[in-house]
Amino acid sequence: MDRMRIATLFADRESLDGKDVVVCGWARTIRDMKGFGFIELNDGSCFKNLQVVLDASVLENYKEIAGQNVGAALVVHGTVVLTPEAKQPLEVKARSVEVEGKSAPDYPLQKKRHSVEFLRSIQHLRPRTNLFSATFRVRSVAAYAVHEFFQNRGFVYVQTPIITGSDCEGAGEMFQVTTLDLENPPRTQDGQVDYSQDFFGKKTSLTVSGQLNAENFAMAFGDVYTFGPTFRAENSNTQRHAAEFWMIEPEMAFCDLAGDMDVAEAMIKYIIKSVLEKCPQEIEFFNSFVDKGLKERLEHVASSDFGRISYTEAVDILKKNNDKFDFKVDWGTDLQTEHERFLTEQVFKRPVFVTDYPAEIKAFYMRMNDDGKTVAAADCLVPGIGEIVGGSQREERLEMLEKRIRDLGMNPEDYWWYCDLRRYGTCKHAGFGLGFERMVMYLTGVSNIRDVELHPRTVGNADF
């Protein structure tokens, strides 16, 4: 008999009443009542556990099964019985139970609430807990929703390089990739490391963004998106920073900043609605035990029209409330999380796009506005977290782009191919980036990025 997933069993319970099934999973709890007992079985297919009823008069190996430790992998053959009057809608009365894999007595996940700090020390086991099984199931549904959203709109999915010879953000905080002997690297005549002898013949790093490469494809396919890993060697231990994270980055030809914001707003709403629809039990769990306002906030964002305000207008509002902030605001300063949350939670009470930032605090590829001071950039701020999306209309004018690169002390030769796009059929185009882990944090209410990544890579931590 084929194995049936517990999620299918719950979903089709009316038609399965009285039917024989095979279910496989891991024991969350085992109770021995000296003659009969109960196992809470979970196979990862859904949030709920399945109650398995053990009867010593039916099971020859009752004592063996009742004596198993939590975490044991079991194969259960039994009959589905609906129990509408009980807490659980159904149970399986076991006809036979096989131990697929025993669990040692020192299994660290017992029936009690463990701290997230402790669970980070056993990342290989933490997906078996309620918190992390719910988190990573939401992550899976959200990832599918991303692809579904763009594919339904005719976007082409492109996989951009992880190893790069250019710095998209101009920040310089990149992980270097090399095959040179670090103890004795080759040197040039002036004593510098000779990267011409390295694997790629030049200095290379792990990418901080797939955007620049995605623009290449947007100039051929019109609308494209990337969804893959990116890396930042930022020495930060905050709850919102990780060295390895996933980015969603669409690029759209013949699109201006207004169109860019329209797509970002639609995407955020689509992801939220998909998770609310497909993960109701997980959302109820998060709303009860992690963030009591989560469900209401998500429903509010999904049904709201996002506001739009210029950076200059935002600064005027914030300056009037400077006494409320740890970081004082003035024109030209980068907005901090406290400023972003004030705008979206206190002023607009809904998501809001802040547009047209000072050029000095934004990346080189953003289109210069006619005022010569600001660029056509937009950050999407949402209640509870602040910035969740950053985007811009890209600079399509070759002379303006090359000037910006030089002004920032960068070498235009490193971006010759990027500049070529402006020589051969340039057009207005725009795109944005959404840090996927930050989106998962928003969907779950989980406050630390380390707890929405399967195996987080942070400063001093790459154990798993």
Side-chain angles (χ1 to χ4, degrees):
M1 188 182 296
D2 292 336
R3 166 200 170 201
M4 179 171 289
R5 286 177 171 78
I6 291 174
T8 303
L9 208 162
F10 280 120
D12 301 335
R13 58 180 176 268
E14 298 296 336
S15 63
L16 292 171
D17 186 26
K19 299 290 179 62
D20 290 339
V21 295
V22 178
V23 290
C24 308
W26 295 270
R28 289 283 182 90
T29 64
I30 301 175
R31 289 178 289 158
D32 178 13
M33 316 295 286
K34 307 304 180 187
F36 68 95
F38 302 94
I39 296 174
E40 293 290 318
L41 199 70
N42 190 285
D43 67 355
S45 65
C46 64
F47 186 73
K48 286 183 180 178
N49 298 327
L50 171 67
Q51 179 164 284
V52 177
V53 181
L54 309 177
D55 187 336
S57 65
V58 175
L59 299 176
E60 294 181 359
N61 61 343
Y62 176 86
K63 288 186 177 180
E64 177 196 1
I65 300 304
Q68 293 299 310
N69 294 308
V70 172
L74 305 174
V75 178
V76 178
H77 297 250
T79 304
V80 177
V81 178
L82 298 186
T83 55
E85 72 287 349
K87 184 184 297 184
Q88 70 281 353
L90 59 85
E91 60 190 18
V92 169
K93 290 191 174 180
R95 202 169 60 255
S96 69
V97 181
E98 305 161 22
V99 181
E100 182 85 4
K102 292 184 178 181
S103 179
D106 60 352
Y107 183 64
L109 297 176
Q110 298 302 317
K111 194 177 180 181
K112 64 176 183 177
R113 184 175 293 188
H114 299 285
S115 71
V116 290
E117 290 78 14
F118 168 72
L119 293 173
R120 286 176 204 147
S121 71
I122 51 169
Q123 291 172 30
H124 57 307
L125 298 175
R126 68 178 184 168
R128 304 185 190 189
T129 66
N130 284 339
L131 174 62
F132 288 96
S133 67
T135 298
F136 296 137
R137 198 173 293 106
V138 165
R139 182 180 173 119
S140 173
V141 168
Y144 183 80
V146 169
H147 287 291
E148 196 172 46
F149 173 81
F150 287 114
Q151 292 290 329
N152 288 347
R153 287 172 170 249
F155 280 65
V156 174
Y157 176 39
V158 297
Q159 296 82 36
T160 52
I162 288 176
I163 299 174
T164 180
S166 61
D167 178 2
C168 176
E169 299 294 335
E173 296 168 334
M174 304 176 75
F175 289 102
Q176 188 174 338
V177 175
T178 183
T179 58
L180 296 178
D181 181 358
L182 297 183
E183 298 295 329
N184 186 30
R187 301 282 181 179
T188 60
Q189 289 185 345
D190 59 359
Q192 300 298 311
V193 175
D194 185 1
Y195 287 105
S196 68
Q197 298 187 45
D198 207 347
F199 186 91
F200 294 105
K202 63 184 295 186
K203 188 175 182 179
T204 55
S205 304
L206 297 179
T207 187
V208 299
S209 170
Q211 176 205 314
L212 301 190
N213 297 108
E215 287 188 49
N216 296 341
F217 287 87
M219 292 300 103
F221 294 101
D223 295 332
V224 303
Y225 73 103
T226 73
F227 187 4
T230 53
F231 308 85
R232 299 246 174 122
E234 184 176 355
N235 191 0
S236 174
N237 277 300
T238 74
Q239 293 185 327
R240 299 173 62 179
H241 288 90
E244 178 182 347
F245 53 98
W246 283 60
M247 285 287 287
I248 302 153
E249 297 176 292
E251 288 293 326
M252 297 159 284
F254 306 102
C255 180
D256 60 13
L257 187 63
D260 196 40
M261 290 187 284
D262 288 342
V263 174
E265 178 175 342
M267 181 197 68
I268 291 171
K269 290 179 176 178
Y270 190 91
I271 296 171
I272 292 174
K273 288 176 181 177
S274 293
V275 169
L276 287 172
E277 176 189 346
K278 297 177 181 178
C279 300
Q281 295 167 8
E282 288 83 356
I283 294 300
E284 289 296 340
F285 169 79
F286 291 125
N287 198 65
S288 297
F289 298 103
V290 178
D291 180 350
K292 295 192 181 297
L294 176 70
K295 186 177 180 182
E296 180 181 0
R297 186 166 62 249
L298 291 176
E299 290 172 341
H300 174 63
V301 169
S303 61
S304 295
D305 290 328
F306 292 14
R308 299 187 183 186
I309 186 175
S310 73
Y311 169 87
T312 299
E313 292 169 329
V315 167
D316 288 342
I317 293 172
L318 294 168
K319 285 175 69 174
K320 295 174 183 177
N321 295 274
N322 256 339
D323 58 321
K324 300 176 181 177
F325 305 130
D326 294 330
F327 296 93
K328 307 307 176 187
V329 183
D330 203 355
W331 202 95
T333 58
D334 207 353
L335 301 186
Q336 304 294 317
T337 300
E338 60 175 340
H339 309 139
E340 296 167 344
R341 292 189 61 177
F342 181 83
L343 288 171
T344 188
E345 294 171 24
Q346 303 298 321
V347 179
F348 283 86
K349 302 187 187 310
R350 59 192 169 112
V352 57
F353 286 99
V354 177
T355 66
D356 303 309
Y357 282 80
E360 287 74 16
I361 61 174
K362 289 297 182 180
F364 74 93
Y365 50 75
M366 298 185 178
R367 193 183 199 278
M368 186 68 70
N369 288 326
D370 293 341
D371 60 15
K373 298 189 304 180
T374 63
V375 291
D379 288 347
C380 181
L381 317 180
V382 292
I385 195 170
E387 181 195 345
I388 196 168
V389 166
S392 73
Q393 186 172 333
R394 314 313 191 189
E395 183 57 79
E396 84 281 10
R397 298 163 295 185
L398 177 60
E399 67 283 357
M400 296 292 287
L401 178 63
E402 290 182 331
K403 180 179 184 301
R404 182 80 171 133
I405 290 173
R406 286 192 296 269
D407 288 347
L408 291 173
M410 301 160 66
N411 184 1
E413 292 182 6
D414 291 338
Y415 301 89
W416 66 269
W417 51 272
Y418 188 67
C419 293
D420 258 7
L421 297 179
R422 279 74 182 165
R423 294 187 178 95
Y424 308 129
T426 188
C427 67
K428 65 183 176 184
H429 57 289
F432 61 82
L434 168 64
F436 185 55
E437 281 77 14
R438 194 164 291 187
M439 186 73 211
V440 178
M441 290 168 68
Y442 193 65
L443 291 166
T444 60
V446 173
S447 61
N448 197 312
I449 195 170
R450 294 167 178 82
D451 301 323
V452 299
E453 292 192 317
L454 280 70
H455 295 296
R457 296 293 181 253
T458 54
V459 178
N461 179 27
D463 293 337
F464 290 87

